[in-house]
Structures are given as structure tokens and as C-alpha cells.
Amino acid sequence: MADDIYDVIVIGAGPGGYVAAIRATQLGLKTACVEKSGLGGTCLNIGCIPSKALLESSQIYHQAMSTLSRHGVIAKEVSLDLPAMMARKSEIVKRMTGGIRGLFRKNKVTHLQGLGHLAGEGVVEVTDGKDAGSHRAKHIVIATGSVPVELPNLPFDGEFIVSSTEALTFDVVPEKLVVIGGGAIGLELGSVWDRLGSEVSVLELMPQIVPGMDSELAGQLQKSLEHQGISFCLESKADTAEVKDGHVHITLSEKGGERHSEVCDRLLVAVGRRANVEGLGAREAGVDVDERGRIVVDHAYKTSVEGVYAIGDVISGPMLAHKAEEEGVAVVELIAGKAGHVNYDAVPGVVYTHPELASVGLTEEQAREKFGEVKIGRFPFMANGRAHSLEDTEGMVKMIADAKTDRVLGVHILGGRASEMLSEAVLAMEFSSSAEDIARTMHAHPTLPEAMKEAAMAIDNAAIHI
Ligand SMILES: Cc1cc2nc3c(=O)[nH]c(=O)nc-3n(C[C@H](O)[C@H](O)[C@H](O)COP(=O)(O)OP(=O)(O)OC[C@H]3O[C@@H](n4cnc5c(N)ncnc54)[C@H](O)[C@@H]3O)c2cc1C
């Protein structure tokens, strides 16, 4: 047993865990972070960062083949160097994960390499790594994240029937790619390979893509992606998949029970992620998990075991890096006796397709159900000067406010740079702002956020440029 007693041991160094560990040392807590694989977790190694790197590269390739000429830029003989594109992605991952190592050093977080599991009161046993051994802590934070959901009828084989992890590393562009799941991950990776030349079909069980997001804008996003060449099959499911002669043969059931088959080179199953408690010894230690395998916590992230907390993808709530980070900060602030808090009414969410769909707060449907009368302001990028200069006029800002109080209840943006515009809406919601507050705030011209101001003005039928 190591002599050191830590104030906090965090298990998992994803955005939840590494942020918790750094914040804990800032608060004067002696902290270690156990990681079995790469620092930065899913997000930096096989999630947010590599996917955005490929989205950016593939969009540039697509633009070089299409819209660049509208700027008067003629790119002759554009061709794809997929190994170079993948190498750039890997280099970014290396740089970012190296950054976490540096942050750990700077903040004096002890990095324990290996698989951590709960081994009795205040003890974390580390195995399978260079820091194997027992480590004691007053508080243990579980931040072990999530793994892709595998469908029993379409098991992953790592080559033909794959999860997002392998779809980030294909070494050739598949001629035909079928994506099961029209959520953020399926649409983002579908977009990457569509832009690089694959024929992409997306199959979604629900009647709309990106289920849970505002249906009006989700419908517009679908049309836009269809225009880019992606085909959609909604209210459908894949029944079986068999790999024969290097191709995947899939049988599908459409709405109404009609069945048909498809053949593709690669099948990406992106139907969601599940909490990861493998090898953690959570159940054996008495940590309660719910029916979906997520660790159950109270408002202070306490599990059913005294001194053990959990945050991020391994607990309930949206599986997003920034949600995990906020919880990482909140949990250690609470441990340190401060008032850590996360506002779950203002969790932003972005689908990084082109156009992007960025969203915070209630959808129109949810707002009407909860508040009855609501006011909606819409402003299209077609009426925004900067969008024209960027040659990117698709989409709109849609703002939803309470009809009685004018308080902003939700903002949904479909547009080329929607992700970069969303923070204004998140801040507005965080400050319980009214639509009029945004409408009367001066916005620099010409900028895309002027569309946010005009959508707020449109709530009161006072938009100027439409
Ligand atoms: C393709 C893809 C794209 C995504 N894009 C986005 C995006 O654009 N924006 C966004 O917000 N989110 C995105 N996500 C989701 C995001 O990656 C996760 O929500 C986020 O990483 C969750 O953080 P976490 O810290 O809870 O867990 P994770 O990042 O999953 O980290 C958990 C860590 O714990 C380690 N671990 C697990 N068990 C043990 C153990 N017993 N001992 C030691 N270590 C252990 C794992 O190795 C891992 O490193 C994406 C995910 C994927 C797959």
C-alpha cells in the first residue's frame, strides 16, 4: 500500500476527470488521476477532437471542389490525400493529449497509469499499468465515461461493422457507407465520408434526425444533407447484417414493416453510447447503477457509497464533453466545501455538420408544452451581410421566448458557423435574459451574431432586415 493519502483520486482522465483533477489541485487538494488509456479520454482521442479535425479537412476538400470557384478562386486538379488528412488528425490528437500531460505537471496532478478499481473504503487499486498498486484517498471521483452501444444483431467486427472509433480511421474512402443512427455522431461521420466521396445512407429509428432537437431545424438540416448527397431512411431499423466477400449485406425494416436489403462496404453503427463501469468494481463496492447501467448520484454527485462520487458520461444527462467538464469542476468544488453547481437548463449541444445545428434550452415543442403560449423569432442567414460574404447563407436563428415574460426559453441555430454563435444564447439563458435584452444589445457589423439580435427583435415583430 502506497503511503500517500490523496484528498481526491479521480478515475478516468476524459474531460470530466482531467478537469476535476486540475480544479481539485487549484483548490489545494492533493490529487491523483488514474487513466488506463490516453489522457483526454474519448473526447480528445476518439471523439470530439479527431471528428472535428476530419470534418474541417473534408469540408475544405468539398469547398475546393465546389464553392471556391464562386469566390473567383480556381483550384485546379484538386485531389484527396487521405493518409495526410489522417496524419493531420492524429497530430492534433497528439498535441492536445500532450497538452493535458503538461497541465497535469503544471498543476501537480499525479497521473497514475493503469486500470483503477474500487477496492474498499477510500482505496483505489490500480492494475495493468506502470502505477499498479493500492492508493488511498479521502474522496474518489468516478469519471470513467462511456463506450459505443453495440447492437446484438449487428455486432462490431472492427473492420466492416464498426463504431465511431474505426470510422475515424478508415484507410480508404468506402464506396458505400450505411450509418445506423441519425444522431450527432452518425451525421458528423456520415458527412465526413460523404464529402470525401462515399455514397452515404443514414437509417434512423425515429421520425426525425437528431431526435430531441428542434424538429423544424432538424427537418431543414435533413434537406440540406440530402442536397449534399446523403440519403435518409427514417422510422426504419436494421435487422441483420452479414459480411460476405468484403461487403456488408444488411436487411432493413421500414415503417409499416416493409423489408428490403442493402449492400455496403462499411456499416457504421452509431446508435448512442452507454455508461462505462467495466473493470471498475462499482457494483461490488455497493455503488448503485440504474437500469441503463449509469451510476446513480444525488445533486452533489454523491453515489450510494460514502466518499465516492461520479460525473460525466457515466452518470445520467447528455453525453457531452462540456457537461462532463462542468460536473468535474462542480464535484471538486463541493468536496472542497464550495458551492459547485451546474445549470442543466442551459446545456449547449451542437451537430457539426454543414450547416451546423446548435441548440440550447427548450425546443419549440417542449416550450409550448411547458409554457403554453410562446413567441418565436426567426431570422434567416440569407438576410445577413456577413453570411453572404462567407458564401454561407443557409439556415436561420430561431429564438423562443415566454409570451408572458419575454424570457428566452431556447435558441436553435442552423448555419455554417452556428457553434461559434451559440455561446451568446447560452449566456443569455444563464442570465435569465429576455429577448428584448438581446434585441437591445449592440452587435458588431457585419457579423453572423447580428442574426441572433434580429431573431430576438423578430420576437416583437421588430426585425429590421427582413
Ligand atoms: C465520435 C464522437 C464525437 C464526439 N463529439 C463531441 C462533440 O463534438 N462535443 C461534445 O461535447 N461531445 C462529443 N462527444 C462526446 C464526448 O466525447 C463525451 O461526452 C466525453 O468525452 C465524456 O467525458 P467523460 O470524461 O465523462 O468520459 P470519457 O471521455 O469517456 O473519459 C473516460 C476515461 O476514463 C478511462 N477509464 C475508464 N474506466 C477506467 C478505469 N477503470 N480506470 C482507469 N481509467 C478508466 C477511459 O480510458 C477514458 O479515458 C463525442 C463522442 C464521440 C464518440
Side-chain angles (χ1 to χ4, degrees):
M1 171 88 56
D3 294 332
D4 274 355
I5 297 189
Y6 293 97
D7 293 310
V8 180
I9 292 182
V10 182
I11 307 180
Y18 84 72
V19 167
I22 291 172
R23 182 72 188 123
T25 59
Q26 286 176 348
L27 293 165
L29 301 169
K30 184 178 158 90
T31 305
C33 186
V34 190
E35 173 55 58
K36 69 179 169 68
S37 162
L39 292 181
T42 302
C43 174
L44 265 63
N45 293 283
I46 48 167
C48 325
I49 298 302
S51 60
K52 269 76 238 175
L54 289 184
L55 279 157
E56 198 57 39
S57 299
S58 59
Q59 181 63 6
I60 290 173
Y61 175 68
H62 173 74
Q63 278 172 341
M65 308 269 275
S66 54
T67 52
L68 270 195
S69 59
R70 293 218 288 274
H71 289 271
V73 179
I74 309 303
K76 284 195 182 140
E77 293 177 30
V78 176
S79 62
L80 173 67
D81 182 348
L82 187 60
M85 198 178 274
M86 290 294 172
R88 172 185 175 270
K89 175 207 67 176
S90 305
E91 176 53 36
I92 294 169
V93 169
K94 197 170 150 209
R95 220 182 295 151
M96 302 295 295
T97 53
I100 308 294
R101 196 161 293 115
L103 288 173
F104 272 9
R105 268 197 304 272
K106 177 182 162 218
N107 289 281
K108 299 195 169 46
V109 174
T110 304
H111 171 202
L112 300 174
Q113 204 204 318
L115 179 81
H117 80 266
L118 305 173
E121 205 183 318
V123 180
V124 175
E125 180 82 32
V126 177
T127 55
D128 301 335
K130 82 173 174 49
D131 298 304
S134 287
H135 303 268
R136 298 193 70 87
K138 293 180 198 146
H139 308 275
I140 298 168
V141 177
I142 300 170
T144 49
S146 60
V147 290
V149 168
E150 185 171 26
L151 295 174
N153 49 337
L154 311 169
F156 296 132
D157 65 13
E159 189 180 356
F160 296 100
I161 305 176
V162 300
S163 74
S164 57
T165 307
E166 294 79 25
L168 288 165
T169 57
F170 289 155
D171 54 6
V172 288
V173 178
E175 239 169 79
K176 182 157 175 64
L177 172 71
V178 171
V179 180
I180 313 285
I185 294 176
L187 295 182
E188 289 179 10
L189 291 173
S191 288
V192 166
W193 294 107
D194 168 62
R195 291 168 192 169
L196 298 182
S198 290
E199 184 191 337
V200 176
S201 309
V202 177
L203 212 78
E204 168 56 53
L205 192 62
M206 304 301 282
Q208 76 164 59
I209 59 166
V210 281
M213 290 185 92
D214 190 85
S215 61
E216 180 185 4
L217 295 199
Q220 287 192 16
L221 173 61
Q222 184 183 332
K223 282 203 188 88
S224 176
L225 294 174
E226 279 168 349
H227 189 67
Q228 291 164 38
I230 299 180
S231 63
F232 290 90
C233 214
L234 301 182
E235 295 184 81
S236 302
K237 67 179 176 58
D239 297 320
T240 61
E242 195 189 346
V243 180
K244 266 192 289 187
D245 310 324
H247 293 284
V248 190
H249 298 251
I250 315 163
T251 55
L252 319 166
S253 310
E254 287 185 18
K255 188 183 172 190
E258 201 181 311
R259 297 188 80 185
H260 69 103
S261 53
E262 282 243 23
V263 181
C264 62
D265 305 279
R266 294 287 184 274
L267 175 65
L268 163 61
V269 180
V271 294
R273 298 180 59 83
R274 64 174 171 79
N276 174 29
V277 288
E278 254 158 60
L280 180 66
R283 288 187 182 89
E284 298 78 350
V287 173
D288 285 346
V289 296
D290 68 13
E291 69 296 342
R292 288 168 62 183
R294 300 172 299 191
I295 293 182
V296 178
V297 292
D298 68 6
H299 62 280
Y301 308 103
K302 289 181 179 168
T303 69
S304 51
V305 173
E306 181 72 27
V308 179
Y309 306 74
I311 55 158
D313 279 11
V314 78
I315 66 169
S316 67
M319 288 187 168
L320 291 167
H322 42 272
K323 176 257 191 193
E325 287 186 32
E326 294 298 324
E327 289 176 346
V329 169
V331 72
V332 291
E333 289 187 344
L334 289 164
I335 287 171
K338 294 185 175 293
H341 174 71
V342 177
N343 178 3
Y344 291 101
D345 290 334
V347 180
V350 180
V351 185
Y352 291 83
T353 43
H354 194 94
E356 297 173 343
L357 179 53
S359 202
V360 63
L362 301 180
T363 63
E364 181 180 342
E365 303 81 22
Q366 291 164 338
R368 287 194 190 286
E369 199 180 313
K370 194 162 173 195
F371 288 84
E373 218 187 317
V374 296
K375 292 188 291 183
I376 312 273
R378 293 181 181 81
F379 191 82
F381 286 110
M382 191 56 102
N384 174 276
R386 189 73 199 278
H388 280 273
S389 72
L390 293 166
E391 201 59 45
D392 209 352
T393 52
E394 235 183 313
M396 64 154 104
V397 177
K398 173 176 177 181
M399 189 174 292
I400 302 157
D402 184 345
K404 290 186 207 76
T405 63
D406 196 39
R407 184 172 164 185
V408 178
L409 302 175
V411 178
H412 310 279
I413 312 167
L414 183 71
R417 302 188 186 191
S419 57
E420 303 297 340
M421 289 177 62
L422 188 64
S423 298
E424 177 182 6
V426 182
L427 197 64
M429 290 200 57
E430 194 65 47
F431 288 179
S432 305
S433 135
S434 66
E436 189 181 351
D437 289 330
I438 300 174
R440 292 195 183 276
T441 301
M442 200 183 296
H443 286 62
H445 175 77
T447 59
L448 297 175
E450 285 175 290
M452 180 84 73
K453 175 183 166 80
E454 292 261 15
M457 292 162 87
I459 292 237
D460 202 23
N461 295 320
I464 299 291
H465 293 95
I466 191 96

